[in-house]
Structure formats: structure tokens, C-alpha cells
């Protein structure tokens, strides 16, 4: 039970941090500053910011998953969830997302958010990097909590 609770806490922390940071920032900047040219692809600045936010969220989520569950199993489960959903999201963005030839100014906010695209390299590497950051944070918490062997 604690394993599932730890994984759920990790997912909630990662999702919460990403949503609470990136959505208001996108709304504040607007599509003019977050997207490249007149396309539906994010520009380099936005990708850099999103990468930092997501990797920070992954580190905190991995630490929280181990903290709540008290085992490395929750960290491994969280990695599996993040990588699976991240690659599924990459598949959606690359294969199923609607491609529109209309100008960005003609789209409403919902159509804009559904049609936004990240570059393929970003979609494929972010889930893997997040898994690595989750592992580093979760396993460091595991090492931190191990009892110190006594000599003598």
C-alpha cells in the first residue's frame, strides 16, 4: 500500500510543479513569446525553461516517492509511469496531434493548446531524462536513510 502511495505522491508532485509553473508562465508570456515564428512549435527559450522545470519536478518527485513509501520500489514504479506516459505523450504530439495550416491568430486558446508541438528530440529525451533524475533523487534518499554499519 505504501508503494502505491509513494508512486501516487511522486506523480502528484511532478504534475503539480509542472502545471503550476508552466501553465501560468505560458499564459503570461503568450504565444508570441513562447512559440517560434507563426508556427505551433515551441521556441528554444520555452524548451529550456520547460526542461529545467520538468527535471526539477522529477527530482523532487523521486525524493518524495521514496520519502512516502520508504522503498526504492516506489521510485522504480514512478520511473516506469513517467517514462511510459512521457513516451505516449511524445507519440501523441508526433503522430496524432492535428496539424493546422491556419495562422496562429485564428485559433482559440483550446485549439492552440491541443495543437502545440515540441521538437521530436525533446519529446523523446525528456521522459528518459526525467527517469534518470527521479532515480538519482530517489536512490540518494535511499542511501541517505541506510543505517551506518558499526565497526568493532
Amino acid at each position: 500500500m505504501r508503494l502505491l502511495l509513494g508512486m501516487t505522491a511522486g506523480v502528484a508532485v511532478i504534475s503539480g510543479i509542472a502545471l503550476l509553473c508552466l501553465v501560468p508562465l505560458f499564459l503570461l508570456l503568450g504565444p508570441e513569446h513562447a512559440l517560434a515564428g507563426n508556427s505551433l512549435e515551441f521556441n528554444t527559450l520555452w524548451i529550456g525553461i520547460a526542461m529545467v522545470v520538468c527535471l526539477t519536478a522529477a527530482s523532487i518527485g523521486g525524493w518524495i516517492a521514496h520519502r512516502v513509501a520508504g522503498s526504492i520500489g516506489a521510485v522504480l514504479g514512478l520511473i516506469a509511469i513517467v517514462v511510459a506516459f512521457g513516451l505516449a505523450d511524445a507519440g501523441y504530439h508526433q503522430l496524432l496531434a492535428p496539424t493546422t495550416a491556419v495562422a496562429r491568430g485564428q485559433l482559440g486558446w483550446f485549439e492552440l493548446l491541443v495543437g502545440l508541438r515540441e521538437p521530436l528530440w525533446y519529446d523523446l529525451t525528456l521522459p528518459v531524462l526525467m527517469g534518470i533524475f527521479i532515480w538519482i533523487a530517489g536512490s540518494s534518499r535511499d542511501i541517505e536513510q541506510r543505517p551506518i554499519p558499526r565497526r568493532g
Side-chain angles (χ1 to χ4, degrees):
M1 184 66 174
R2 288 183 55 153
L3 185 76
L4 291 175
L5 190 60
M7 291 172 15
T8 303
V11 167
V13 165
I14 292 171
S15 301
I17 291 172
L19 287 174
L20 289 175
C21 291
L22 294 177
V23 171
L25 185 61
F26 182 80
L27 294 174
L28 183 67
L29 291 176
E32 305 81 32
H33 299 290
L35 302 177
N38 198 26
S39 71
L40 293 178
E41 280 202 15
F42 287 105
N43 63 24
T44 307
L45 174 66
W46 179 265
I47 290 172
I49 292 170
M51 183 84 69
V52 169
V53 168
C54 289
L55 294 179
T56 302
S59 297
I60 296 169
W63 192 90
I64 291 292
H66 190 280
R67 171 82 170 105
V68 170
S71 81
I72 203 72
V75 175
L76 293 172
L78 180 60
I79 291 170
I81 290 170
V82 167
V83 171
F85 278 107
L87 293 177
D89 183 54
Y92 168 76
H93 283 133
Q94 299 303 320
L95 302 174
L96 303 175
T99 56
T100 59
V102 298
R104 200 171 57 216
Q106 296 174 345
L107 296 175
W109 275 100
F110 182 73
E111 292 88 7
L112 180 67
L113 290 175
V114 169
L116 290 175
R117 296 179 157 296
E118 290 100 359
L120 179 61
W121 69 266
Y122 177 82
D123 271 346
L124 295 177
T125 57
L126 184 64
V128 174
L129 286 174
M130 287 179 73
I132 292 168
F133 274 63
I134 290 168
W135 174 253
I136 291 170
S139 62
S140 69
R141 167 109 174 102
D142 185 54
I143 292 168
E144 183 179 286
Q145 297 302 312
R146 286 186 193 159
I148 299 171
R150 295 185 178 229
R151 294 183 184 175

